[in-house]
Amino acid sequence: MSLVEVSDLSVSFGEVRAVDGLSFSLEAGGALGVVGESGSGKSASAYALLGLHRGTGAKVSGSVRVAGVDVTAADDAELRALRGAKAAMVFQDPLSSLDPYYAVGDQIAEVYRVHHRASRRAARARAVEVLDRVGIPDAVRRSRSRPHEFSGGMRQRALIAMALACEPQLLIADEPTTALDVTVQAQILDLLHDLRRETGMGLLLVTHDVGVAAESVDEVLVMQSGRAVERGPVGEVLVAPREPYTRALLAAVPRVTEPRISSGAKPADDGDDGEVLVEAVDVRQVFGRGRTALAAVDGVSLSVRRGETLGVVGESGSGKTTLGRMLVGLLEPTSGRLTRDARVQMVFQDPVSSLNPRRSIGESVADPLRASGERDETAIRARVRDLLTRVGLAPESYDRYPHEFSGGQRQRVGIARALAAEPELIVCDEAVSALDVTTQAQVTALLAELQQELGLALVFIAHDLAVVRQVSDRVAVMRRGRIVEEGSVDQVYGNPRDPYTKQLLAAVPALDPALAVVRRAARKELAAA
């Protein structure tokens, strides 16, 4: 009997059919990657494996069996026994999955006690054991820490530890690395690979990142609009896809070996041509005082010229966002000199939190116009409709609200709002990091078109080195508040000088599964050295 057997699964939310007649199976110890764009039904399918749609109003039909349990027919007690003990899930956002008030070790111990008649002491010992297994240093001490005291990567490791506490036969990982930088992502993927090999558990990995699937699974299931369009061994599907949709999905994946998207603007490749719009000289940004003082940006010097794109890359905590906020004037440097001879705007990472949910998107885009002194409401509305059209949205969308748009569309609204102030420089702070690869490609292409049309300069801040490779003329690599390497995109990617840059590039997922195996082995050797 297969570990997972899904037959003719359909999941509907009102009039929306998220999953439409899906069938697949997963053998014990196997690893299946479910890939597709946002809205393709990936997560809805994964949730159905644990009966998580029960009580939500969703309509579920078809047959789902996991570890011998008929999920659709199981009562609540049977589902509780299934979840955690036989099958466990790791969600995308570990911060919202962990209780902020309780120590991480206590939360893991509680999961263990739910499924085993164990003493508190034994449960605590088990929590420390699994935290140590997933690579949390000083597990005894850190088990007493609360979630906010962990980094993003450590929180994700803690969730994996919680999932492993009861030694499940199946681990379901729903976009487990989406919010992580490339080096931490590589660590999590390597961890999942090692755990599979050591425990024999099955893995169902849900991801919109095809490169992540190539690193982690044996087979791939490609979903579109709730249906399976292609399935097969990962090497066959990713190297020689049969279906047009799969080919389009792979074509949209940015690669560190490909040249940038041409904007048509004249870039300043050598860093010496073009008018300087923003210049930073030895700028520092220090948060806190005394012993708690932290230099988020520590002696950075750089310039941005008209018409060019400067990519800024580095891990979480490297100072990228703080630098971007200084460039647009949201933060003043603690020391150093920053000159700004241009109109500047910022596009933020999360369009949901940067748009007011109680105001129409048209009104949000109109804010910069009103702030500049425009009082003619007819002219404002006409200008906003023109901006919406320019970024690929229908002009009649003016009166619609943010929740009515997809993630990619909301990011287009953020770009339209930035353009309303007629900037000469736009700082994009992780503007495409939460988007699937096809939507990501659409937004980066839009930015390239706008750069050509308007002569904009862009500062593109991201932890995704492949995306930065495609959109940038020059690249600055940041680590611990400093720039460790800077140069033309071809120079930095083709012949990196700094060991940290080499480490970042080595962590980028490879679309070729055979190459992924080689690189995983190389990372192990590097870690052991």
Side-chain angles (χ1 to χ4, degrees):
M1 180 188 298
S2 298
L3 178 60
V4 177
E5 293 180 350
V6 175
S7 178
D8 199 28
L9 172 66
S10 292
V11 181
S12 298
F13 302 93
E15 299 298 317
V16 177
R17 178 162 286 196
V19 182
D20 189 8
L22 179 68
S23 298
F24 68 88
S25 62
L26 174 63
E27 299 304 311
L32 174 66
V34 182
V35 302
E37 299 170 284
S38 298
S40 62
K42 308 185 303 296
S43 292
S45 304
Y47 287 11
L49 299 186
L50 294 180
L52 295 178
H53 294 302
R54 187 168 296 185
T56 66
K59 182 179 179 182
V60 181
S61 62
S63 172
V64 177
R65 295 188 69 87
V66 176
V69 176
D70 185 341
V71 176
T72 51
D75 60 27
D76 289 347
E78 289 173 316
L79 281 183
R80 284 195 297 271
L82 169 69
R83 298 168 183 165
K86 295 182 179 179
M89 194 161 192
V90 177
F91 295 93
Q92 177 174 349
D93 181 9
L95 197 55
S96 63
S97 302
L98 293 167
D99 192 313
Y101 294 104
Y102 293 95
V104 168
D106 289 343
Q107 296 183 55
I108 297 173
E110 183 64 23
V111 170
Y112 188 71
R113 293 188 73 209
V114 165
H115 295 283
H116 294 78
R117 294 184 180 277
S119 66
R120 292 184 182 275
R121 181 186 295 273
R124 284 282 307 173
R126 178 60 176 164
V128 170
E129 180 184 347
V130 291
L131 283 171
D132 181 68
R133 177 62 201 87
V134 300
I136 298 292
D138 195 3
V140 173
R141 181 178 64 85
R142 296 313 300 265
S143 70
R144 296 189 286 269
S145 300
R146 288 173 171 77
H148 73 273
E149 299 177 271
F150 279 26
S151 67
M154 287 177 65
R155 284 194 290 264
Q156 198 61 284
R157 287 173 182 268
L159 270 191
I160 294 172
M162 186 180 293
L164 293 174
C166 298
E167 299 181 345
Q169 301 171 48
L170 172 68
L171 180 66
I172 303 168
D174 183 20
E175 301 279 9
T177 63
T178 295
L180 305 178
D181 54 59
V182 288
T183 51
V184 179
Q185 173 178 266
Q187 292 166 11
I188 296 297
L189 295 179
D190 290 348
L191 170 62
L192 290 174
H193 179 269
D194 291 344
L195 290 171
R196 272 188 59 217
R197 185 185 60 195
E198 293 171 13
T199 67
M201 71 178 182
L203 173 67
L204 185 86
L205 177 68
V206 175
T207 180
H208 67 250
D209 190 327
V210 184
V212 167
E215 292 266 347
S216 313
V217 301
D218 308 318
E219 289 191 294
V220 174
L221 173 68
V222 182
M223 291 189 69
Q224 180 187 25
S225 303
R227 292 179 172 270
V229 296
E230 185 164 358
R231 178 178 178 176
V234 62
E236 292 181 13
V237 174
L238 299 190
V239 174
R242 301 186 310 272
E243 298 298 321
Y245 175 74
T246 310
R247 290 197 290 269
L249 198 64
L250 287 167
V253 177
R255 294 164 170 83
V256 292
T257 55
E258 292 184 355
R260 67 156 289 171
I261 299 170
S262 175
S263 67
K266 182 179 178 181
D269 283 338
D270 59 6
D272 296 325
D273 298 327
E275 175 191 356
V276 174
L277 301 181
V278 175
E279 183 176 27
V281 178
D282 198 28
V283 295
R284 301 181 80 240
Q285 182 60 246
V286 179
F287 297 109
R289 294 181 178 179
R291 293 183 178 180
T292 63
L294 171 67
V297 173
D298 190 8
V300 165
S301 298
L302 56 76
S303 61
V304 185
R305 290 174 163 77
R306 186 177 300 279
E308 76 164 340
T309 299
L310 172 67
V312 181
V313 300
E315 296 173 290
S316 299
S318 62
K320 307 186 303 294
T321 293
T322 301
L323 175 62
R325 289 175 176 268
M326 286 196 290
L327 293 179
V328 298
L330 292 177
L331 289 171
E332 289 300 319
T334 304
S335 63
R337 176 170 59 85
L338 197 152
T339 56
R340 195 181 301 108
D341 296 320
R343 297 182 300 276
V344 295
Q345 285 291 307
M346 196 164 194
V347 176
F348 296 92
Q349 175 176 355
D350 183 5
V352 177
S353 61
S354 60
L355 293 171
N356 189 330
R358 296 179 178 84
R359 303 183 71 214
S360 73
I361 59 111
E363 288 300 297
S364 291
V365 175
D367 284 343
L369 300 175
R370 295 194 177 102
S372 67
E374 179 63 67
R375 294 291 179 265
D376 186 336
E377 289 299 318
T378 301
I380 288 174
R381 196 171 185 94
R383 172 65 173 152
V384 170
R385 288 169 65 90
D386 175 65
L387 287 167
L388 293 175
T389 301
R390 176 169 281 177
V391 298
L393 296 173
E396 54 269 23
S397 300
Y398 188 107
D399 295 311
R400 294 173 62 191
Y401 288 81
H403 73 271
E404 300 179 72
F405 294 86
S406 68
Q409 289 173 325
R410 285 193 290 260
Q411 200 57 284
R412 289 173 183 265
V413 173
I415 294 170
R417 183 173 58 181
L419 291 175
E422 299 184 346
E424 298 163 281
L425 167 66
I426 296 179
V427 175
C428 300
D429 182 22
E430 298 280 10
V432 299
S433 64
L435 306 179
D436 59 59
V437 288
T438 49
T439 307
Q440 193 177 78
Q442 293 165 6
V443 172
T444 53
L446 169 64
L447 289 169
E449 292 167 9
L450 293 170
Q451 188 174 36
Q452 178 181 7
E453 180 183 346
L454 304 174
L456 294 169
L458 298 175
V459 174
F460 199 90
I461 297 169
H463 64 254
D464 189 328
L465 277 78
V467 173
V468 171
R469 173 73 175 91
Q470 286 208 318
V471 303
S472 303
D473 301 306
R474 290 191 297 123
V475 179
V477 181
M478 290 193 70
R479 186 185 192 195
R480 297 175 182 171
R482 295 178 175 271
I483 292 178
V484 298
E485 185 161 0
E486 182 181 2
S488 72
V489 67
D490 291 334
Q491 172 191 324
V492 172
Y493 280 74
N495 187 27
R497 301 186 309 273
D498 192 88
Y500 177 68
T501 309
K502 295 176 182 178
Q503 179 186 346
L504 288 179
L505 290 169
V508 177
L511 278 177
D512 181 348
L515 178 58
V517 172
V518 173
R519 292 175 63 172
R520 183 183 298 115
R523 288 195 294 268
K524 284 185 179 295
E525 288 182 10
L526 188 63

